[in-house]
PDB file of all heavy atoms in Angstrom:
ATOM      1  N   GLY A  45      -5.106  97.719-112.829  1.00 83.00           N
ATOM      2  CA  GLY A  45      -4.897  96.472-112.083  1.00 83.00           C
ATOM      3  C   GLY A  45      -4.114  96.702-110.808  1.00 83.00           C
ATOM      4  O   GLY A  45      -4.410  96.103-109.764  1.00 83.00           O
ATOM      5  N   THR A  46      -3.111  97.584-110.864  1.00 83.00           N
ATOM      6  CA  THR A  46      -2.316  97.894-109.683  1.00 83.00           C
ATOM      7  C   THR A  46      -3.165  98.560-108.600  1.00 83.00           C
ATOM      8  O   THR A  46      -3.043  98.250-107.407  1.00 83.00           O
ATOM      9  CB  THR A  46      -1.140  98.814-110.053  1.00 83.00           C
ATOM     10  OG1 THR A  46      -0.297  98.125-110.988  1.00 83.00           O
ATOM     11  CG2 THR A  46      -0.325  99.192-108.824  1.00 83.00           C
ATOM     12  N   ALA A  47      -4.042  99.466-109.001  1.00 82.00           N
ATOM     13  CA  ALA A  47      -4.909 100.148-108.045  1.00 82.00           C
ATOM     14  C   ALA A  47      -5.858  99.163-107.364  1.00 82.00           C
ATOM     15  O   ALA A  47      -6.075  99.211-106.148  1.00 82.00           O
ATOM     16  CB  ALA A  47      -5.709 101.248-108.743  1.00 82.00           C
ATOM     17  N   ILE A  48      -6.425  98.239-108.149  1.00 85.00           N
ATOM     18  CA  ILE A  48      -7.321  97.230-107.588  1.00 85.00           C
ATOM     19  C   ILE A  48      -6.542  96.307-106.649  1.00 85.00           C
ATOM     20  O   ILE A  48      -7.000  95.965-105.548  1.00 85.00           O
ATOM     21  CB  ILE A  48      -7.989  96.425-108.722  1.00 85.00           C
ATOM     22  CG1 ILE A  48      -8.915  97.342-109.527  1.00 85.00           C
ATOM     23  CG2 ILE A  48      -8.767  95.239-108.159  1.00 85.00           C
ATOM     24  CD1 ILE A  48      -9.392  96.736-110.846  1.00 85.00           C
ATOM     25  N   HIS A  49      -5.346  95.909-107.083  1.00 86.00           N
ATOM     26  CA  HIS A  49      -4.513  95.014-106.278  1.00 86.00           C
ATOM     27  C   HIS A  49      -4.177  95.657-104.935  1.00 86.00           C
ATOM     28  O   HIS A  49      -4.207  94.996-103.885  1.00 86.00           O
ATOM     29  CB  HIS A  49      -3.237  94.693-107.055  1.00 86.00           C
ATOM     30  CG  HIS A  49      -2.385  93.651-106.416  1.00 86.00           C
ATOM     31  ND1 HIS A  49      -1.560  93.918-105.351  1.00 86.00           N
ATOM     32  CD2 HIS A  49      -2.222  92.342-106.706  1.00 86.00           C
ATOM     33  CE1 HIS A  49      -0.919  92.823-104.997  1.00 86.00           C
ATOM     34  NE2 HIS A  49      -1.300  91.851-105.802  1.00 86.00           N
ATOM     35  N   LYS A  50      -3.848  96.942-104.939  1.00 86.00           N
ATOM     36  CA  LYS A  50      -3.496  97.619-103.690  1.00 86.00           C
ATOM     37  C   LYS A  50      -4.677  97.668-102.727  1.00 86.00           C
ATOM     38  O   LYS A  50      -4.509  97.555-101.503  1.00 86.00           O
ATOM     39  CB  LYS A  50      -3.000  99.037-103.962  1.00 86.00           C
ATOM     40  CG  LYS A  50      -2.481  99.726-102.698  1.00 86.00           C
ATOM     41  CD  LYS A  50      -1.996 101.130-102.973  1.00 86.00           C
ATOM     42  CE  LYS A  50      -1.406 101.756-101.690  1.00 86.00           C
ATOM     43  NZ  LYS A  50      -2.343 101.717-100.553  1.00 86.00           N
ATOM     44  N   THR A  51      -5.880  97.812-103.265  1.00 86.00           N
ATOM     45  CA  THR A  51      -7.063  97.811-102.411  1.00 86.00           C
ATOM     46  C   THR A  51      -7.210  96.474-101.696  1.00 86.00           C
ATOM     47  O   THR A  51      -7.502  96.425-100.500  1.00 86.00           O
ATOM     48  CB  THR A  51      -8.319  98.103-103.263  1.00 86.00           C
ATOM     49  OG1 THR A  51      -8.188  99.387-103.878  1.00 86.00           O
ATOM     50  CG2 THR A  51      -9.572  98.097-102.385  1.00 86.00           C
ATOM     51  N   ILE A  52      -6.997  95.382-102.430  1.00 91.00           N
ATOM     52  CA  ILE A  52      -7.076  94.051-101.823  1.00 91.00           C
ATOM     53  C   ILE A  52      -5.946  93.869-100.803  1.00 91.00           C
ATOM     54  O   ILE A  52      -6.149  93.342 -99.703  1.00 91.00           O
ATOM     55  CB  ILE A  52      -7.017  92.962-102.907  1.00 91.00           C
ATOM     56  CG1 ILE A  52      -8.193  93.122-103.873  1.00 91.00           C
ATOM     57  CG2 ILE A  52      -7.019  91.570-102.278  1.00 91.00           C
ATOM     58  CD1 ILE A  52      -8.092  92.239-105.108  1.00 91.00           C
ATOM     59  N   GLU A  53      -4.747  94.302-101.173  1.00 89.00           N
ATOM     60  CA  GLU A  53      -3.592  94.177-100.276  1.00 89.00           C
ATOM     61  C   GLU A  53      -3.829  94.923 -98.965  1.00 89.00           C
ATOM     62  O   GLU A  53      -3.553  94.393 -97.873  1.00 89.00           O
ATOM     63  CB  GLU A  53      -2.347  94.726-100.968  1.00 89.00           C
ATOM     64  CG  GLU A  53      -1.107  94.747-100.090  1.00 89.00           C
ATOM     65  CD  GLU A  53       0.043  95.486-100.743  1.00 89.00           C
ATOM     66  OE1 GLU A  53       0.089  95.564-101.997  1.00 89.00           O
ATOM     67  OE2 GLU A  53       0.893  96.020 -99.996  1.00 89.00           O
ATOM     68  N   ASP A  54      -4.336  96.158 -99.046  1.00 87.00           N
ATOM     69  CA  ASP A  54      -4.584  96.936 -97.832  1.00 87.00           C
ATOM     70  C   ASP A  54      -5.597  96.249 -96.925  1.00 87.00           C
ATOM     71  O   ASP A  54      -5.492  96.292 -95.697  1.00 87.00           O
ATOM     72  CB  ASP A  54      -5.085  98.338 -98.192  1.00 87.00           C
ATOM     73  CG  ASP A  54      -3.980  99.233 -98.739  1.00 87.00           C
ATOM     74  OD1 ASP A  54      -2.801  98.857 -98.620  1.00 87.00           O
ATOM     75  OD2 ASP A  54      -4.308 100.298 -99.299  1.00 87.00           O
ATOM     76  N   HIS A  55      -6.573  95.593 -97.536  1.00 88.00           N
ATOM     77  CA  HIS A  55      -7.568  94.869 -96.742  1.00 88.00           C
ATOM     78  C   HIS A  55      -6.930  93.673 -96.046  1.00 88.00           C
ATOM     79  O   HIS A  55      -7.183  93.421 -94.857  1.00 88.00           O
ATOM     80  CB  HIS A  55      -8.717  94.407 -97.643  1.00 88.00           C
ATOM     81  CG  HIS A  55      -9.715  93.548 -96.928  1.00 88.00           C
ATOM     82  ND1 HIS A  55     -10.658  94.066 -96.071  1.00 88.00           N
ATOM     83  CD2 HIS A  55      -9.918  92.197 -96.939  1.00 88.00           C
ATOM     84  CE1 HIS A  55     -11.396  93.070 -95.569  1.00 88.00           C
ATOM     85  NE2 HIS A  55     -10.966  91.945 -96.084  1.00 88.00           N
ATOM     86  N   LEU A  56      -6.087  92.919 -96.775  1.00 90.00           N
ATOM     87  CA  LEU A  56      -5.455  91.738 -96.198  1.00 90.00           C
ATOM     88  C   LEU A  56      -4.440  92.092 -95.117  1.00 90.00           C
ATOM     89  O   LEU A  56      -4.375  91.433 -94.077  1.00 90.00           O
ATOM     90  CB  LEU A  56      -4.767  90.924 -97.304  1.00 90.00           C
ATOM     91  CG  LEU A  56      -5.688  90.123 -98.219  1.00 90.00           C
ATOM     92  CD1 LEU A  56      -4.893  89.582 -99.401  1.00 90.00           C
ATOM     93  CD2 LEU A  56      -6.350  88.983 -97.453  1.00 90.00           C
ATOM     94  N   VAL A  57      -3.641  93.123 -95.376  1.00 86.00           N
ATOM     95  CA  VAL A  57      -2.548  93.456 -94.457  1.00 86.00           C
ATOM     96  C   VAL A  57      -3.035  94.295 -93.275  1.00 86.00           C
ATOM     97  O   VAL A  57      -2.636  94.057 -92.128  1.00 86.00           O
ATOM     98  CB  VAL A  57      -1.426  94.209 -95.209  1.00 86.00           C
ATOM     99  CG1 VAL A  57      -0.320  94.625 -94.244  1.00 86.00           C
ATOM    100  CG2 VAL A  57      -0.839  93.310 -96.301  1.00 86.00           C
ATOM    101  N   TYR A  58      -3.916  95.267 -93.546  1.00 80.00           N
ATOM    102  CA  TYR A  58      -4.298  96.215 -92.511  1.00 80.00           C
ATOM    103  C   TYR A  58      -5.775  96.125 -92.103  1.00 80.00           C
ATOM    104  O   TYR A  58      -6.194  96.822 -91.182  1.00 80.00           O
ATOM    105  CB  TYR A  58      -4.017  97.652 -92.980  1.00 80.00           C
ATOM    106  CG  TYR A  58      -2.602  97.867 -93.442  1.00 80.00           C
ATOM    107  CD1 TYR A  58      -2.336  98.091 -94.796  1.00 80.00           C
ATOM    108  CD2 TYR A  58      -1.532  97.836 -92.553  1.00 80.00           C
ATOM    109  CE1 TYR A  58      -1.033  98.289 -95.245  1.00 80.00           C
ATOM    110  CE2 TYR A  58      -0.229  98.018 -92.990  1.00 80.00           C
ATOM    111  CZ  TYR A  58       0.014  98.252 -94.336  1.00 80.00           C
ATOM    112  OH  TYR A  58       1.300  98.443 -94.772  1.00 80.00           O
ATOM    113  N   GLY A  59      -6.546  95.320 -92.830  1.00 85.00           N
ATOM    114  CA  GLY A  59      -7.968  95.238 -92.529  1.00 85.00           C
ATOM    115  C   GLY A  59      -8.730  96.477 -92.952  1.00 85.00           C
ATOM    116  O   GLY A  59      -9.806  96.763 -92.424  1.00 85.00           O
ATOM    117  N   GLN A  60      -8.183  97.224 -93.912  1.00 76.00           N
ATOM    118  CA  GLN A  60      -8.773  98.505 -94.301  1.00 76.00           C
ATOM    119  C   GLN A  60      -9.726  98.364 -95.480  1.00 76.00           C
ATOM    120  O   GLN A  60      -9.504  97.565 -96.374  1.00 76.00           O
ATOM    121  CB  GLN A  60      -7.673  99.505 -94.686  1.00 76.00           C
ATOM    122  CG  GLN A  60      -6.774  99.925 -93.536  1.00 76.00           C
ATOM    123  CD  GLN A  60      -5.699 100.886 -93.994  1.00 76.00           C
ATOM    124  OE1 GLN A  60      -5.480 101.078 -95.181  1.00 76.00           O
ATOM    125  NE2 GLN A  60      -5.016 101.509 -93.045  1.00 76.00           N
ATOM    126  N   GLU A  61     -10.773  99.173 -95.449  1.00 78.00           N
ATOM    127  CA  GLU A  61     -11.651  99.365 -96.604  1.00 78.00           C
ATOM    128  C   GLU A  61     -11.198 100.644 -97.306  1.00 78.00           C
ATOM    129  O   GLU A  61     -10.666 101.562 -96.663  1.00 78.00           O
ATOM    130  CB  GLU A  61     -13.107  99.506 -96.156  1.00 78.00           C
ATOM    131  CG  GLU A  61     -13.612  98.344 -95.328  1.00 78.00           C
ATOM    132  CD  GLU A  61     -13.822  97.093 -96.158  1.00 78.00           C
ATOM    133  OE1 GLU A  61     -14.240  97.214 -97.327  1.00 78.00           O
ATOM    134  OE2 GLU A  61     -13.580  95.994 -95.624  1.00 78.00           O
ATOM    135  N   PRO A  62     -11.399 100.759 -98.612  1.00 69.00           N
ATOM    136  CA  PRO A  62     -10.986 101.997 -99.301  1.00 69.00           C
ATOM    137  C   PRO A  62     -11.808 103.181 -98.824  1.00 69.00           C
ATOM    138  O   PRO A  62     -13.029 103.096 -98.679  1.00 69.00           O
ATOM    139  CB  PRO A  62     -11.252 101.682-100.777  1.00 69.00           C
ATOM    140  CG  PRO A  62     -12.267 100.588-100.770  1.00 69.00           C
ATOM    141  CD  PRO A  62     -11.986  99.779 -99.541  1.00 69.00           C
ATOM    142  N   THR A  63     -11.128 104.314 -98.550  1.00 70.00           N
ATOM    143  CA  THR A  63     -11.827 105.528 -98.136  1.00 70.00           C
ATOM    144  C   THR A  63     -12.468 106.184 -99.361  1.00 70.00           C
ATOM    145  O   THR A  63     -12.132 105.868-100.505  1.00 70.00           O
ATOM    146  CB  THR A  63     -10.851 106.516 -97.491  1.00 70.00           C
ATOM    147  OG1 THR A  63      -9.901 106.941 -98.480  1.00 70.00           O
ATOM    148  CG2 THR A  63     -10.105 105.874 -96.321  1.00 70.00           C
ATOM    149  N   GLN A  64     -13.358 107.106 -99.106  1.00 64.00           N
ATOM    150  CA  GLN A  64     -14.013 107.814-100.200  1.00 64.00           C
ATOM    151  C   GLN A  64     -12.993 108.567-101.044  1.00 64.00           C
ATOM    152  O   GLN A  64     -13.100 108.635-102.270  1.00 64.00           O
ATOM    153  CB  GLN A  64     -15.062 108.781 -99.643  1.00 64.00           C
ATOM    154  CG  GLN A  64     -16.041 109.298-100.680  1.00 64.00           C
ATOM    155  CD  GLN A  64     -16.887 108.180-101.302  1.00 64.00           C
ATOM    156  OE1 GLN A  64     -17.239 107.214-100.620  1.00 64.00           O
ATOM    157  NE2 GLN A  64     -17.206 108.292-102.581  1.00 64.00           N
ATOM    158  N   GLU A  65     -11.978 109.121-100.369  1.00 73.00           N
ATOM    159  CA  GLU A  65     -10.938 109.851-101.082  1.00 73.00           C
ATOM    160  C   GLU A  65     -10.137 108.915-101.986  1.00 73.00           C
ATOM    161  O   GLU A  65      -9.791 109.260-103.125  1.00 73.00           O
ATOM    162  CB  GLU A  65     -10.006 110.549-100.092  1.00 73.00           C
ATOM    163  CG  GLU A  65      -8.917 111.400-100.746  1.00 73.00           C
ATOM    164  CD  GLU A  65      -9.507 112.517-101.596  1.00 73.00           C
ATOM    165  OE1 GLU A  65     -10.578 113.035-101.239  1.00 73.00           O
ATOM    166  OE2 GLU A  65      -8.896 112.844-102.637  1.00 73.00           O
ATOM    167  N   GLU A  66      -9.845 107.701-101.497  1.00 67.00           N
ATOM    168  CA  GLU A  66      -9.109 106.724-102.310  1.00 67.00           C
ATOM    169  C   GLU A  66      -9.935 106.280-103.501  1.00 67.00           C
ATOM    170  O   GLU A  66      -9.407 106.051-104.589  1.00 67.00           O
ATOM    171  CB  GLU A  66      -8.702 105.535-101.446  1.00 67.00           C
ATOM    172  CG  GLU A  66      -7.586 105.844-100.466  1.00 67.00           C
ATOM    173  CD  GLU A  66      -7.326 104.715 -99.493  1.00 67.00           C
ATOM    174  OE1 GLU A  66      -8.270 103.955 -99.190  1.00 67.00           O
ATOM    175  OE2 GLU A  66      -6.184 104.584 -99.019  1.00 67.00           O
ATOM    176  N   VAL A  67     -11.244 106.146-103.293  1.00 59.00           N
ATOM    177  CA  VAL A  67     -12.130 105.765-104.398  1.00 59.00           C
ATOM    178  C   VAL A  67     -12.103 106.852-105.479  1.00 59.00           C
ATOM    179  O   VAL A  67     -11.997 106.571-106.671  1.00 59.00           O
ATOM    180  CB  VAL A  67     -13.566 105.536-103.885  1.00 59.00           C
ATOM    181  CG1 VAL A  67     -14.530 105.378-105.047  1.00 59.00           C
ATOM    182  CG2 VAL A  67     -13.627 104.299-102.981  1.00 59.00           C
ATOM    183  N   LYS A  68     -12.198 108.117-105.049  1.00 61.00           N
ATOM    184  CA  LYS A  68     -12.150 109.223-106.005  1.00 61.00           C
ATOM    185  C   LYS A  68     -10.807 109.279-106.721  1.00 61.00           C
ATOM    186  O   LYS A  68     -10.739 109.501-107.926  1.00 61.00           O
ATOM    187  CB  LYS A  68     -12.404 110.543-105.269  1.00 61.00           C
ATOM    188  CG  LYS A  68     -13.817 110.729-104.752  1.00 61.00           C
ATOM    189  CD  LYS A  68     -13.957 112.064-104.030  1.00 61.00           C
ATOM    190  CE  LYS A  68     -15.374 112.267-103.503  1.00 61.00           C
ATOM    191  NZ  LYS A  68     -15.495 113.536-102.756  1.00 61.00           N
ATOM    192  N   GLN A  69      -9.717 109.069-105.974  1.00 66.00           N
ATOM    193  CA  GLN A  69      -8.378 109.143-106.569  1.00 66.00           C
ATOM    194  C   GLN A  69      -8.163 108.022-107.573  1.00 66.00           C
ATOM    195  O   GLN A  69      -7.525 108.213-108.616  1.00 66.00           O
ATOM    196  CB  GLN A  69      -7.307 109.082-105.474  1.00 66.00           C
ATOM    197  CG  GLN A  69      -5.946 109.620-105.908  1.00 66.00           C
ATOM    198  CD  GLN A  69      -6.016 111.097-106.287  1.00 66.00           C
ATOM    199  OE1 GLN A  69      -6.663 111.888-105.599  1.00 66.00           O
ATOM    200  NE2 GLN A  69      -5.373 111.464-107.378  1.00 66.00           N
ATOM    201  N   ALA A  70      -8.691 106.832-107.270  1.00 59.00           N
ATOM    202  CA  ALA A  70      -8.574 105.716-108.205  1.00 59.00           C
ATOM    203  C   ALA A  70      -9.290 106.031-109.509  1.00 59.00           C
ATOM    204  O   ALA A  70      -8.817 105.688-110.593  1.00 59.00           O
ATOM    205  CB  ALA A  70      -9.154 104.446-107.584  1.00 59.00           C
ATOM    206  N   LEU A  71     -10.413 106.731-109.422  1.00 55.00           N
ATOM    207  CA  LEU A  71     -11.151 107.113-110.626  1.00 55.00           C
ATOM    208  C   LEU A  71     -10.353 108.138-111.426  1.00 55.00           C
ATOM    209  O   LEU A  71     -10.233 108.039-112.654  1.00 55.00           O
ATOM    210  CB  LEU A  71     -12.512 107.685-110.241  1.00 55.00           C
ATOM    211  CG  LEU A  71     -13.366 108.235-111.388  1.00 55.00           C
ATOM    212  CD1 LEU A  71     -13.629 107.148-112.419  1.00 55.00           C
ATOM    213  CD2 LEU A  71     -14.672 108.789-110.848  1.00 55.00           C
TER     214      LEU A  71
END
Side-chain angles (χ1 to χ4, degrees):
T46 298
I48 294 167
H49 187 282
K50 186 180 183 306
T51 300
I52 300 171
E53 175 188 334
D54 286 348
H55 175 77
L56 285 170
V57 177
Y58 306 111
Q60 294 179 348
E61 304 287 325
T63 65
Q64 195 63 35
E65 183 60 33
E66 287 172 332
V67 170
K68 290 179 180 178
Q69 200 62 42
L71 176 59

